[in-house]
Amino acid sequence: MPEGPSIIILKEEVQQFAGQKIIEVDGNSSIDIERLKGKTILDFKTWGKHFLICFDDFTVKIHLLMFGTYRINERKETKPRLSMIFSNGELNFYTCSVKILEGDINLYYNWSEDVMNEKWDPKKAKKSLDKIPDEMICDAILDQNIFSGVGNIIKNEVLYRCKIHPESLIGKIPSKDLKNIINECSIYSFEFLDWKKNYELKKHWLTYTKSVCLRCNLPIHRKHTGKRNRRSFFCTNCQKLHV
DNA sequence: TATAATGTTTGAAC
DNA sequence: AGTTCAAACATTAT
């Protein structure tokens, strides 16, 4: 379900519960969620695909993985993994990973790695890429400690936009192109966010799940690429392979 | 109906 | 000891 932009939307949708006290807690999470009962939510944060519920002395980290969902002021038929009841409504999470991070949340996350955070640092990303010249760019773009929040859709669209073949080796890609890819990971994520809010995300896909290149009319290739073996959609005519 | 998909962690195997 | 890789988790659309 979610890449970084979808988690930003989640954060915006739950703002009604910021500052609220959790009256009742429920769910089949394996962690001790009873700890949340009676606690007041100080803030919601995100780091890439991580959704963070911050309390005074610990933070609940929720990751929706591939199939996670949530409901605000409604419920699904199945039992939630984590359910929080407030005086003004309720927030329910299903099929997600729930973990507790003790203490100061800033000790766990480097915000400059998040392509949608105001502290996002493209120069740091460039330094990280320069350290792994033998990796394929399709793998590096999905590295959450370099491009936190970027998922497989954004990966494909950014590489198509930047005209770089997903199996290109980082050390062989011209520096100018690498910087372009880094910038587009952030830019595209914010466009993704706007499109998703308008329920028009798929309409803007240029290569993901496509079969013909919109630039040259030649077939889009589909292949599971890199060590991560995630599916890639690309045009071998328009996207240059650097090896 | 079987398959595969916007993802990550874990632990066995090498 | 470091890496690699399959398995596990779980839902839904095609």
Side-chain angles (χ1 to χ4, degrees):
Chain A
M1 156 85 178
E3 298 193 20
S6 302
I7 307 304
I8 298 281
I9 291 172
L10 163 58
K11 179 184 159 186
E12 291 177 359
E13 289 179 340
V14 299
Q15 280 311 307
Q16 57 191 291
F17 303 126
Q20 292 288 312
K21 186 202 270 191
I22 298 173
I23 296 168
E24 202 57 63
V25 63
D26 192 14
N28 57 19
S29 168
S30 55
I31 66 153
D32 177 24
I33 53 176
E34 280 303 313
R35 258 182 96 177
L36 307 195
K37 191 169 175 177
K39 299 285 285 185
T40 297
I41 294 176
L42 298 186
D43 201 5
F44 295 108
K45 293 181 188 291
T46 64
W47 181 83
K49 302 164 190 170
H50 297 207
F51 178 65
L52 304 168
I53 307 171
C54 306
F55 301 97
D56 56 354
D57 53 346
F58 64 92
T59 295
V60 173
K61 174 184 94 181
I62 292 184
H63 201 304
L64 299 179
L65 297 168
M66 195 81 96
F67 311 125
T69 52
Y70 62 91
R71 291 290 185 274
I72 295 166
N73 300 329
E74 4 180 291
R75 297 178 186 190
K76 294 181 72 171
E77 307 244 329
T78 54
K79 188 167 166 60
R81 173 89 6 108
L82 174 62
S83 172
M84 289 164 284
I85 314 290
F86 308 90
S87 63
N88 64 341
E90 63 182 81
L91 177 54
N92 301 305
F93 289 96
Y94 305 84
T95 48
C96 55
S97 158
V98 180
K99 288 189 174 157
I100 287 185
L101 306 177
E102 304 289 347
D104 182 359
I105 192 61
N106 294 300
L107 301 177
Y108 292 85
Y109 293 105
N110 188 334
W111 308 105
S112 71
E113 293 166 349
D114 180 346
V115 299
M116 302 193 75
N117 193 286
E118 59 182 15
K119 292 198 168 72
W120 160 243
D121 182 359
K123 289 198 180 70
K124 175 180 160 65
K126 180 64 164 60
K127 282 179 196 160
S128 299
L129 289 183
D130 288 341
K131 285 178 194 159
I132 48 171
D134 298 330
E135 287 224 358
M136 287 182 184
I137 189 65
C138 60
D139 284 323
I141 291 184
L142 293 174
D143 186 330
Q144 298 300 295
N145 288 113
I146 303 178
F147 299 103
S148 176
V150 171
N152 204 36
I153 297 173
I154 297 173
K155 175 198 86 179
N156 280 292
E157 293 296 322
V158 164
L159 288 174
Y160 182 78
R161 199 176 254 200
C162 296
K163 302 184 178 178
I164 300 296
H165 191 295
E167 294 180 307
S168 294
L169 301 180
I170 289 168
K172 306 287 186 182
I173 301 174
S175 186
K176 175 172 64 71
D177 289 317
L178 270 186
K179 288 176 185 168
N180 194 218
I181 289 169
I182 292 166
N183 288 331
E184 285 297 339
C185 281
S186 178
I187 292 167
Y188 189 88
S189 293
F190 283 101
E191 292 180 15
F192 183 123
L193 174 62
D194 288 339
W195 294 330
K196 177 124 187 157
K197 283 180 178 176
N198 292 325
Y199 307 102
E200 59 180 28
L201 178 62
K202 292 184 185 181
K203 190 173 89 181
H204 294 276
W205 288 346
L206 301 182
T207 190
Y208 188 74
T209 71
K210 300 294 180 185
S211 49
V212 177
C213 176
L214 293 151
R215 288 196 185 107
C216 72
N217 251 12
L218 290 172
I220 290 285
H221 293 247
R222 313 180 163 214
K223 182 182 179 187
H224 285 72
T225 60
K227 66 180 186 190
R228 293 176 197 270
N229 205 33
R230 301 295 300 279
R231 60 181 188 160
S232 289
F233 300 82
F234 53 95
C235 173
T236 52
N237 182 46
C238 296
Q239 292 171 258
K240 185 163 168 57
L241 177 59
H242 299 270
V243 289

